[in-house]
């Protein structure tokens, strides 16, 4: 891809993390493996196609950057395309029971509302140099540029009459601990505004057009205990998204709000639904709630379910450790989820403290040779008598036969790196004539079928409530998340430009390496 002059340093710094080579004025993604290359190409597209080129010799470049940033992060609103008047909110924690009072006047004295002009800072570190660990700079001097995003929460003015609202909730993609907590909070909060008509759409986007999947009426009574179990009360599914059929169905069902719980695929779908509703000038708010145990959504501190998954992984890692430690020349191997991002594997390894080798998709490694993983396992057996390895499902795919098969949503079906590595270790030790006892654990679905832990349950509560506040505030095509501990609304396209990846130059990855003591495997 040709790079317009002047160079966009922010992009180059970001792209270099993918192993990108800049030659002349052309950029080529030359990640060690195809997945990294694909992610890099997405970043190239997102940065060079969507962003203006900045001339850093122009004293106005910061202003230009911020104007562009404000444009990209402004929240789409129903009033952008249709005439709709705001009305005073019915949400007030000052209202007294009984519930009939909720349509009464606002308690002016309550300072619980978020002002539309409230903002939170997206970036909070001032890097002195682009060589600082994890540096995320815009210009070569790493200048400080404020990047403000919209604060989430209840507004004084709302754009729907709660008594007339029909709200829908849908959960898509794979399971994730906390889905039921979010569904429950959305229902409770909608009722707090005075909404009476709330329905669940069964089994993801399929529920919109498969006739046998009927709407599930939801209310406080129905959802009261659903957070006590894992899974999704409404069911999930992959695939089956025809945007125009979904919007036809939204119209036929007379939905005014749709809460879409899912990962990057689901959010792409939610944004397309929002765009189609806009095109048809429908007064429908589409609000996403990011769900992925992989933690691969951009800009957010973390997504719900991630903490729980990391915690659930501890049982597997600990068992592998006990097995490896107890066996003669024991080698414990654990494979954890993470299609393109190694967050679960990195955090689970850090949390355990027992892992000797942590392998993630973002950091290429060699298996054979003097600097390879196998030689290091040999060294661990020689020196401490056992070894513990934790690997992400998306890691080392270049060593495996590719099928090019995809799941119903179009996600690449990965080959099993855990099984491959297990076989490689066994044959390596056979070849060098040293005894080894490999114990392989694949806890994949045990990580995500559990109920949310305490910290995820709180996160789900916050996100579910803010999703409802966002819809009542008239926003659509947005999602909600936590940035630097603050709760914000973000336009969907900004969080799904690429999957969020572990930055090999981040302090967290460095901490992981410090903890495992592993060398560079190339
Ligand atoms: N680019 C896209 N545009 C529209 N819908 C999509 C897109 N990608 C995925 N979807 C739909 O979103 C749903 C969930 O996607 P999937 O990738 O399985 O899970 P996740 O949302 O967790 O990433 C599926 O129904 C899928 O068809
Ligand atoms: O077997 P399934 O249901 O397709 O799920 C496996 C996938 O689930 C994930 O953990 C999360 O994926 P989603 O965010 O798309 O739900 C991936 O890393 C993994 O490949
Ligand atoms: Mg996904």
């Amino acid at each position: 891809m040709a790079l317009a002059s002047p160079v966009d340093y922010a992009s180059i710094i970001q792209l270099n993390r993918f192993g990108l080579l800049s030659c002349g004025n052309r950029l080529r993604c030359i990640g060690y493996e195809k997945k990294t290359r694909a992610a890099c190409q997405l970043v190239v597209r997102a940065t060079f196609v969507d962003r203006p080129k900045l001339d850093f010799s122009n004293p106005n470049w910061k202003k230009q950057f911020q104007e562009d940033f404000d444009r990209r992060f402004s929240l789409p609103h129903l009033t952008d395309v249709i005439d709709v008047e705001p009305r005073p909110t019915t949400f007030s924690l000052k209202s007294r029971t009984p519930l009939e009072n909720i349509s009464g006047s606002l308690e002016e004295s309550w300072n619980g509302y978020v002002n539309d002009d409230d903002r939170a800072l997206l970036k909070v570190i001032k890097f002195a140099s682009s060589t600082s660990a994890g540096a995320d700079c815009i210009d070569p001097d790493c200048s400080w540029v404020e990047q403000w995003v919209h604060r989430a929460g209840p507004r004084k003015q709302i754009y729907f009459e709660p008594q007339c609202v029909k709200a829908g909730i849908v959960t898509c993609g794979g399971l994730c601990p906390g889905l039921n907590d979010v569904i429950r909070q959305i229902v409770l909060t909608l009722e707090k505004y005075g909404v009476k008509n709330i329905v669940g759409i069964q089994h993801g986007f399929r529920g919109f057009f498969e006739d046998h999947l009927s709407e599930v009426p939801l209310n406080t009574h129905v959802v009261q205990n659903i957070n006590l179990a894992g899974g999704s009360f409404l069911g999930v599914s992959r695939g089956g998204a025809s945007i125009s059929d979904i919007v036809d169905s939204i119209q036929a069902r007379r939905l005014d709000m749709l809460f879409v719980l899912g990962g990057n695929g689901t959010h792409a779908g939610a944004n397309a639904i929002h765009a189609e509703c806009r095109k048809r000038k429908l007064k429908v708010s589409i609000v996403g709630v990011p769900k992925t145990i992989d933690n691969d959504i951009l800009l957010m501190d973390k997504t719900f379910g991630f903490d729980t998954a990391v915690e659930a992984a501890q049982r597997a890692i600990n068992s592998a450790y006990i097995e490896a430690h107890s066996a003669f020349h024991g080698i414990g191997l654990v494979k954890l989820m993470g299609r393109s991002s190694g967050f679960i594997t990195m955090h689970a390894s850090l949390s355990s403290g027992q892992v000797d080798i942590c392998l993630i998709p973002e950091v290429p490694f060699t298996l054979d040779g003097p600097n390879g993983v196998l030689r290091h396992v040999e060294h661990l057996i020689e020196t401490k008598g056992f070894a513990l390895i934790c690997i992400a499902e998306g890691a080392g795919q270049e060593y495996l036969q590719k099928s090019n098969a995809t799941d119903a949503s179009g996600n690449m079906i990965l080959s099993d790196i855990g099984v491959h590595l297990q076989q490689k270790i066994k044959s390596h030790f056979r070849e060098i004539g040293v005894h080894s006892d490999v114990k392989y654990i694949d806890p994949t679905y045990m990580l995500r079928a559990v109920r949310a832990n305490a910290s995820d349950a709180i996160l789900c509560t916050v996100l579910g409530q803010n999703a409802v506040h966002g819809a009542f505030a008239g926003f659509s095509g947005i999602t909600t998340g936590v940035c630097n501990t603050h709760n914000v609304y973000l336009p969907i396209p900004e969080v799904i430009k690429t999957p969020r990846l572990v930055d090999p130059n981040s302090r967290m990855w460095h901490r992981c390496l410090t903890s495992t003591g592993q060398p560079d495997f190339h």
Side-chain angles (χ1 to χ4, degrees):
M1 173 168 305
L3 229 190
S5 189
V7 172
D8 181 340
Y9 283 91
S11 309
I12 293 209
I13 289 160
Q14 191 180 9
L15 291 167
N16 275 336
R17 294 188 191 145
F18 292 105
L20 177 132
L21 180 72
S22 162
C23 55
N25 71 341
R26 293 186 69 77
L27 289 174
R28 285 185 301 137
C29 295
I30 52 142
Y32 292 76
E33 48 148 338
K34 242 187 176 160
K35 275 180 75 68
T36 315
R37 212 157 44 233
C40 167
Q41 277 153 1
L42 275 171
V43 175
V44 170
R45 250 204 330 269
T47 46
F48 292 104
V49 175
D50 294 355
R51 286 202 202 160
K53 304 296 166 288
L54 296 168
D55 176 0
F56 297 117
S57 61
N58 177 343
N60 273 336
W61 75 262
K62 250 190 217 182
K63 190 166 168 273
Q64 215 185 324
F65 175 89
Q66 277 170 327
E67 279 170 4
D68 176 59
F69 183 90
D70 290 344
R71 177 188 58 76
R72 289 196 289 126
F73 283 84
S74 72
L75 303 176
H77 198 273
L78 294 172
T79 53
D80 297 343
V81 286
I82 51 174
D83 286 333
V84 40
E85 288 300 316
R87 66 188 71 227
T89 186
T90 51
F91 178 84
S92 171
L93 296 179
K94 280 279 186 181
S95 65
R96 294 181 207 287
T97 51
L99 284 172
E100 297 86 70
N101 286 346
I102 55 176
S103 56
S105 68
L106 259 176
E107 294 262 358
E108 290 296 336
S109 60
W110 190 52
N111 287 334
Y113 300 106
V114 165
N115 189 300
D116 261 340
D117 295 327
D118 286 352
R119 297 287 185 274
L121 267 183
L122 188 59
K123 305 282 163 80
V124 289
I125 297 184
K126 157 86 183 85
F127 294 102
S129 149
S130 60
T131 57
S132 296
D136 185 6
C137 305
I138 295 163
D139 68 327
D141 296 333
C142 253
S143 306
W144 172 248
V145 184
E146 290 176 2
Q147 299 175 52
W148 297 104
V149 293
H150 293 247
R151 194 175 166 209
R155 267 60 174 170
K156 271 188 177 177
Q157 301 281 310
I158 58 174
Y159 287 81
F160 292 92
E161 164 60 67
Q163 305 274 353
C164 308
V165 163
K166 180 174 179 188
I169 307 174
V170 63
T171 58
C172 312
L175 283 183
C176 179
L179 278 167
N180 287 335
D181 303 64
V182 179
I183 296 170
R184 180 171 175 271
Q185 283 301 323
I186 291 174
V187 172
L188 301 187
T189 313
L190 283 165
E191 288 196 346
K192 190 96 194 142
Y193 272 88
V195 178
K196 304 251 183 299
N197 195 355
I198 311 168
V199 296
I201 306 296
Q202 292 192 68
H203 291 290
F205 289 137
R206 283 174 196 281
F208 278 110
F209 44 82
E210 291 196 6
D211 291 339
H212 62 285
L213 297 174
S214 51
E215 285 179 2
V216 181
L218 299 173
N219 55 46
T220 299
H221 178 70
V222 172
V223 300
Q224 195 53 50
N225 301 323
I226 63 173
N227 58 319
L228 302 182
S232 167
F233 179 69
L234 300 174
V236 291
S237 77
R238 297 196 189 273
S242 154
I243 300 306
S244 136
D245 288 354
I246 291 173
V247 177
D248 288 349
S249 172
I250 287 173
Q251 280 191 275
R253 292 164 196 266
R254 299 184 177 281
L255 289 177
D256 303 287
M257 297 176 180
L258 179 65
F259 299 96
V260 189
L261 282 52
N264 31 32
T266 306
H267 273 71
N271 200 53
I273 294 168
H274 153 73
E276 182 62 24
C277 287
R278 245 170 124 95
K279 202 170 107 196
R280 299 189 196 181
K281 294 202 183 322
L282 304 179
K283 190 189 169 199
V284 185
S285 268
I286 310 291
V287 176
V289 182
K291 163 249 57 156
T292 164
I293 61 166
D294 292 358
N295 202 28
D296 60 356
I297 306 274
L298 292 173
L299 308 178
M300 295 172 188
D301 293 357
K302 66 177 176 188
T303 49
F304 75 81
F306 171 68
D307 255 8
T308 307
V310 170
E311 203 171 295
Q314 296 310 303
R315 275 185 66 194
I317 295 178
N318 200 40
S319 303
Y321 169 76
I322 298 289
E323 286 286 345
H325 189 247
S326 307
F328 175 60
H329 285 185
I331 298 165
L333 173 60
V334 179
K335 184 189 76 173
L336 299 176
M337 270 192 182
R339 193 186 285 124
S340 43
S341 309
F343 288 104
I344 296 181
T345 304
M346 174 173 77
H347 282 244
S349 300
L350 266 169
S351 168
S352 148
Q354 303 299 337
V355 172
D356 298 303
I357 301 176
C358 173
L359 302 171
I360 60 173
E362 297 87 338
V363 181
F365 56 88
T366 53
L367 283 176
D368 300 301
N371 300 324
V373 172
L374 297 171
R375 176 66 195 99
H376 189 58
V377 177
E378 204 183 306
H379 166 75
L380 291 166
I381 293 295
E382 275 164 24
T383 51
K384 61 183 234 184
F386 69 98
L388 182 55
I389 307 167
C390 193
I391 188 163
E393 68 170 324
Q397 287 293 308
E398 66 274 27
Y399 295 114
L400 305 167
Q401 192 79 34
K402 287 217 167 52
S403 69
N404 284 334
T406 55
D407 68 16
S409 294
N411 300 306
M412 190 75 83
I413 294 178
L414 302 178
S415 307
D416 195 330
I417 185 66
V419 170
H420 178 77
L421 188 52
Q422 179 192 25
Q423 284 159 359
K424 285 287 289 187
I425 295 170
K426 282 181 179 168
S427 54
H428 177 79
F429 279 88
R430 247 192 330 264
E431 276 162 28
I432 61 170
V434 175
H435 173 82
S436 74
D437 192 349
V438 186
K439 300 289 197 283
Y440 173 45
I441 299 182
D442 177 354
T444 295
Y445 295 108
M446 295 173 69
L447 261 57
R448 67 180 201 187
V450 290
R451 67 174 278 201
N453 69 9
S455 80
D456 271 331
I458 295 171
L459 180 57
C460 292
T461 302
V462 173
L463 297 175
Q465 293 189 6
N466 280 337
V468 174
H469 296 314
F472 266 107
F475 299 121
S476 181
I478 62 156
T479 192
T480 181
V482 185
C483 293
N484 304 311
T485 74
H486 297 292
N487 297 292
V488 299
Y489 295 135
L490 299 162
I492 291 176
E494 291 301 325
V495 302
I496 56 166
K497 281 186 167 167
T498 64
R500 180 178 172 218
L501 302 175
V502 171
D503 176 359
N505 191 36
S506 63
R507 287 290 303 125
M508 210 54 167
W509 178 244
H510 295 171
R511 288 180 194 113
C512 188
L513 297 180
T514 304
S515 170
T516 59
Q518 73 196 62
D520 270 353
F521 293 119
H522 48 76

